[in-house]
Amino acid sequence: MGRVVIVDHPLAQAILTTLRDRNTRQIEFRKGLVRLGRLIGYEIVKSMDVETVEVETPLGVKARGVRIRDLDHVVIVQVLRAAMPLVEGLVKIFANARMGVVSARRVEETHRPGSLDFDVEITYVKVPRIMEDDVLIVADPMLATGSTITSVLSHVLKYGNPKRTLVVSVISTKYGIDRVLSRYPFVEIYTVAIDPEINEKGYIMPGLGDAGDRAFGGS
Ligand code: URA
């Protein structure tokens, strides 16, 4: 069922503060996103079922431990280009994930100032087949109006019907979250912060600016 998880670990909040700082430069910004991807990954693992297993150690004795079956059934889809560093961090946790990409662009040219609705141009979709026991993670660092992510989800979910569908973002807005959940009530949203406003150009306020430009350079 749909839910919103705020990753409120102090380290995640401290990294986010660095990302918000206008003085944080490109390389540090990218590194921060990687580190957040890893921390969000840890948080996601907490929601996965754990089963007890027994192994034999080199000393010839049994040791009880755990196995997380879902780790072998993760599909990660990244929205180009801003999600790339975030996914680099997620993959450190979900090392066996099958991966997909979607190239999506908010069409600024047709946007009416003040409107919270954007046309979204999807130019490339490459997603592995999604199985019924998969946990699908769709990563996009900024969930502002929800226009991009709902459009991306409509394409990605054509590839199968996963057990769980997670949207991973760094900063979200209530408007964007409500929009995603009203169209896809089963989605679980993992985010590090929920910011109060969206400006007339569709940017999250206070936000962190344009995540793609800050990670990779101006458009
Ligand atoms: N995309 C961004 O990169 N930043 C925002 O604030 C909103 C969308």
Side-chain angles (χ1 to χ4, degrees):
M1 236 357 240
R3 65 195 184 115
V4 180
V5 177
I6 297 178
V7 182
D8 60 359
H9 191 290
L11 186 56
Q13 295 300 322
I15 295 167
L16 174 59
T17 306
T18 309
L19 297 184
R20 289 187 189 277
D21 186 341
R22 69 184 310 159
N23 296 313
T24 300
R25 297 173 66 86
Q26 188 170 310
I27 292 178
E28 290 312 314
F29 189 88
R30 266 206 315 268
K31 283 186 187 165
L33 282 178
V34 174
R35 295 171 75 203
L36 279 185
R38 191 190 299 232
L39 287 167
I40 297 170
Y42 287 136
E43 193 67 35
I44 292 170
V45 172
K46 277 164 64 181
S47 70
M48 292 176 162
D49 289 339
V50 169
E51 61 191 29
T52 306
V53 292
E54 208 174 59
V55 294
E56 189 175 312
T57 77
L59 301 173
V61 291
K62 305 264 189 242
R64 278 166 77 83
V66 297
R67 177 174 120 89
I68 303 166
R69 195 185 290 265
D70 278 347
L71 291 181
D72 293 325
H73 301 277
V74 173
V75 175
I76 300 177
V77 175
Q78 55 183 305
V79 181
L80 298 175
R81 65 185 162 155
M84 288 167 66
L86 195 59
V87 167
E88 189 181 323
L90 285 168
V91 167
K92 306 238 191 262
I93 309 304
F94 305 113
N96 291 331
R98 283 140 42 230
M99 312 271 290
V101 295
V102 176
S103 176
R105 180 178 84 94
R106 293 203 308 190
V107 184
E108 314 272 341
E109 297 82 353
T110 55
H111 179 246
R112 284 171 288 109
S115 163
L116 292 178
D117 217 359
F118 278 85
D119 292 330
V120 176
E121 191 178 70
I122 306 269
T123 48
Y124 184 70
V125 180
K126 182 74 182 173
V127 174
R129 194 143 64 90
I130 300 169
M131 312 295 185
E132 281 183 2
D133 55 356
D134 281 336
V135 176
L136 169 67
I137 299 173
V138 182
D140 191 6
M142 305 300 276
L143 171 47
T145 65
S147 298
T148 301
I149 201 74
T150 50
S151 176
V152 167
L153 283 169
S154 74
H155 282 80
V156 172
L157 290 170
K158 288 180 191 158
Y159 289 79
N161 188 20
K163 179 169 79 172
R164 295 173 64 193
T165 302
L166 279 52
V167 166
V168 163
S169 80
V170 171
I171 306 182
S172 305
T173 66
K174 185 171 181 317
Y175 181 85
I177 289 170
D178 288 347
R179 191 147 169 224
V180 172
L181 293 181
S182 69
R183 183 145 168 213
Y184 298 104
F186 52 87
V187 163
E188 302 166 59
I189 297 172
Y190 281 73
T191 191
V192 184
I194 300 176
D195 275 11
E197 279 178 54
I198 302 172
N199 75 8
E200 70 285 353
K201 290 186 169 165
Y203 280 87
I204 298 178
M205 302 280 277
L208 50 71
D210 187 302
D213 285 356
R214 292 201 62 201
F216 296 109
S219 48

